């Protein structure tokens, strides 16, 4: 079968705080690129500080896409991302530029590389029942249930990872099949514009280096007004902590802190900082686990002094050479 020709593009993945934004801006200094965000949190409008959204100056330097798409009350899926990303890659190529897909939502990258099964759609009734049980029993109890019906999925989730536990239990309840069964049945998606040779992964050799950067970044978010940002979101009156937007790392912990006291005292601020950093470290650990399962990735030691040079050298090998046939 002859596959349709797809424009060449680059994927730049990595855990949170690994330097993806700096690397993508370095690429923009050398090649005519446009950045397509691969981040499930950047799609939300009004959530800027806690998502480390690119600054107006950075967005003026190089076009960014798939940022500020939807309201925090709405949902955005991996299937919607694949549809939007493929369209953008084509549009960017038509402008004579190269799309660089940058982010840390590895489910989105995997959807492009491997494809998506036609998994069961969300069921509001089942989801409401799961949420009611979580309120009475706690997410660790539901994680234990997931371990019984879908041990493979439970093994890669933390007991308080409510969003993913909920979805895995929902899929099992609706279909009678574990989520891991659906995922293991995925096949390569021939319509994808992203080929494995184009996947560049920023991964630290020294995990402590990444942990320091995570702590520094969370401290910067607090200093820049994360608490005020979440306070403003709470004041809208139409958001609640079970929404996917409010489950984002940093927002969940800040929401819970404000539930306890507003304004928070020094002890509560210290607790928020500790829990926010811990949750971000857990996210980074999950991201690295996903990355190591990705086919054909080329790694760069993001904690190396010459990390940016490694990124540009790798991309030069792809962009400065003739494209492979489709």
């Amino acid at each position: 079968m002859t596959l349709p020709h797809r424009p060449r593009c680059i994927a730049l993945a990595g855990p949170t705080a690994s330097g993806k934004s700096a690397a993508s801006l370095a690429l923009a200094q050398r090649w005519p690129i446009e950045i397509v965000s691969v981040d499930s949190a950047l799609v939300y409008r009004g959530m800027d500080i806690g998502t480390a959204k690119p600054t107006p100056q950075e967005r003026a330097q190089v076009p960014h896409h798939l940022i500020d798409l939807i309201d925090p009350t709405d949902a955005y899926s991996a299937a919607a991302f694949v549809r939007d990303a493929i369209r953008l890659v084509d549009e960017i190529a038509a402008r004579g530029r190269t799309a660089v897909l940058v982010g840390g939502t590895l489910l989105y990258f995997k959807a492009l590389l491997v494809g998506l099964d036609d998994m069961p759609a969300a069921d509001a009734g089942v989801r409401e029942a799961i949420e009611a049980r979580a309120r009475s029993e706690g997410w660790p109890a539901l994680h234990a249930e997931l371990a019984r019906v879908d041990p493979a999925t439970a093994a890669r989730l933390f007991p308080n990872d409510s969003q993913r536990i909920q979805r895995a239990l929902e899929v099992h309840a609706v279909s009678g099949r574990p989520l891991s069964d659906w995922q293991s049945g995925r096949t390569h998606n021939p319509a994808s514009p992203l080929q494995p040779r184009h996947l560049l992964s920023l991964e630290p050799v020294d995990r402590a280096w990444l942990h320091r950067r995570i702590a520094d970044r969370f401290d910067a978010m607090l200093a820049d007004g994360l608490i005020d940002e979440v306070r403003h979101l709470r004041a809208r009156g139409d958001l609640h902590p079970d929404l996917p937007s409010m489950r984002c790392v940093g927002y969940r912990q800040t929401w819970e802190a404000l539930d306890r006291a507003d304004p928070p005292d020094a002890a509560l601020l210290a607790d928020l900082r500790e829990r926010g950093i811990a949750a971000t470290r857990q996210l980074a650990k999950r991201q690295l686990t996903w990355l190591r399962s990705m086919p054909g990735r080329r790694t760069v030691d993001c904690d190396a002094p010459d990390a940016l040079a490694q990124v540009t050298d790798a991309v030069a090998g792809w962009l400065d050479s003739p494209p492979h046939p489709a």
Side-chain angles (χ1 to χ4, degrees):
M1 183 179 73
T2 301
L3 299 181
H5 172 72
R6 302 233 57 93
R8 183 166 48 181
C9 66
I10 300 297
L12 184 61
T16 185
S18 59
K20 299 182 296 294
S21 295
S24 62
L25 293 174
L27 298 181
Q29 295 293 321
R30 180 164 172 179
W31 292 280
I33 69 167
E34 297 187 25
I35 294 171
V36 178
S37 168
V38 189
D39 191 307
S40 60
L42 295 189
V43 299
Y44 296 113
R45 293 188 291 268
M47 296 172 58
D48 302 330
I49 298 170
T51 60
K53 199 167 284 181
T55 66
Q57 294 78 14
E58 290 169 339
R59 294 168 74 172
Q61 180 179 342
V62 55
H64 286 68
H65 303 276
L66 301 188
I67 294 175
D68 293 334
L69 290 183
I70 60 175
D71 188 81
T73 55
D74 298 328
Y76 190 70
S77 67
F81 166 77
V82 170
R83 179 195 65 229
D84 291 342
I86 291 175
R87 171 182 56 80
L88 284 165
V89 167
D90 288 340
E91 292 174 356
I92 292 167
R95 292 192 284 271
R97 303 169 73 87
T98 299
V100 179
L101 297 105
V102 182
T105 300
L106 278 303
L107 174 61
Y108 289 3
F109 274 125
K110 196 161 190 177
L112 276 174
L113 280 168
V114 183
L116 287 167
D117 272 332
D118 188 18
M119 285 193 290
D123 186 301
V126 171
R127 181 163 293 189
E128 183 177 347
I130 293 171
E131 290 176 351
R133 287 188 55 201
R135 287 191 292 270
S136 62
E137 303 172 33
W139 286 108
L142 270 66
H143 182 266
E145 177 179 326
L146 181 62
R148 292 191 293 273
V149 300
D150 188 354
T153 298
R156 62 179 178 81
L157 300 181
F158 289 96
N160 287 311
D161 192 349
S162 58
Q163 183 175 0
R164 292 175 177 83
I165 294 170
Q166 179 191 66
R167 178 55 178 159
L169 288 173
E170 180 186 23
V171 168
H172 183 266
V174 171
S175 70
R177 291 173 56 193
L179 179 63
S180 56
D181 187 24
W182 287 94
Q183 292 176 331
S184 65
R186 290 177 179 169
T187 56
H188 181 69
N189 178 4
S192 171
L194 183 61
Q195 298 301 316
R197 68 186 180 87
H198 289 143
L199 177 61
L200 195 60
S201 178
L202 302 181
E203 301 175 24
V205 173
D206 179 11
R207 192 71 63 91
W209 175 89
L210 186 63
H211 290 172
R212 289 191 297 272
R213 285 176 60 91
I214 287 171
D216 289 345
R217 191 165 78 163
F218 197 77
D219 285 340
M221 289 176 178
L222 289 173
D224 289 343
L226 174 60
I227 293 174
D228 283 340
E229 182 173 71
V230 176
R231 186 180 286 123
H232 176 75
L233 292 166
R234 285 164 60 94
R236 288 176 36 153
D238 60 346
L239 302 177
H240 57 81
D242 290 328
L243 286 169
S245 58
M246 294 300 102
R247 291 175 181 155
C248 291
V249 168
Y251 289 90
R252 176 190 299 180
Q253 292 74 28
T254 306
W255 188 293
E256 291 170 349
L258 292 175
D259 275 342
R260 294 166 61 187
D262 188 9
D265 59 21
L268 187 52
L269 284 173
D271 180 69
L272 166 58
R273 178 183 183 274
E274 180 180 351
R275 293 191 303 112
I277 291 171
T280 311
R281 287 171 61 167
Q282 290 172 355
L283 170 63
K285 182 177 180 180
R286 291 194 301 271
Q287 290 169 316
L288 286 166
T289 299
W290 272 88
L291 279 167
R292 289 170 185 142
S293 71
M294 300 289 274
R297 82 191 195 283
R298 175 171 173 175
T299 62
V300 167
D301 299 338
C302 57
D303 50 345
D306 64 341
L308 288 181
Q310 290 186 52
V311 170
T312 54
D313 287 348
V315 170
W318 293 324
L319 292 187
D320 294 343
S321 61
H324 291 298

